[in-house]
Amino acid sequence: MERVRHWPKERQEDAAEVLLEMERQDASRYRLTDAQAEEVARIQRDIREGRGKLATDEQMAALWKSCGL
């Protein structure tokens, strides 16, 4: 934290926002189970290694529409 005090003000504000977001997440009542966290890690790994892909904007729009949103 001492080194952060010497960063430019904008950079310090970015760091503060990251820390505040971490705090908000800690306060959330929602938590992934260990199995869910492992599944997220697996999916991220698959995407990085070219074995999976993210949905397109069009696919997501269709999904939300099918859910009535």
Side-chain angles (χ1 to χ4, degrees):
M1 294 301 290
E2 182 60 35
R3 291 193 329 237
V4 172
R5 294 175 198 212
H6 302 286
W7 290 357
K9 184 162 183 59
E10 183 178 285
R11 187 78 167 157
Q12 289 181 28
E13 290 170 358
D14 291 342
E17 186 57 40
V18 168
L19 293 172
L20 289 170
E21 179 58 30
M22 291 171 68
E23 188 174 66
R24 282 190 290 273
Q25 290 175 6
D26 287 345
S28 174
R29 63 186 176 125
Y30 301 106
R31 296 280 183 259
L32 294 178
T33 65
D34 288 343
Q36 290 169 324
E38 289 172 13
E39 180 69 2
V40 168
R42 184 194 62 76
I43 290 168
Q44 289 173 327
R45 192 171 46 253
D46 285 352
I47 290 169
R48 267 194 319 274
E49 296 173 1
R51 292 190 304 265
K53 62 181 182 174
L54 297 174
T56 65
D57 289 342
E58 293 78 18
Q59 290 169 322
M60 289 306 302
L63 172 66
W64 290 124
K65 186 176 180 180
S66 73
C67 294
L69 301 172

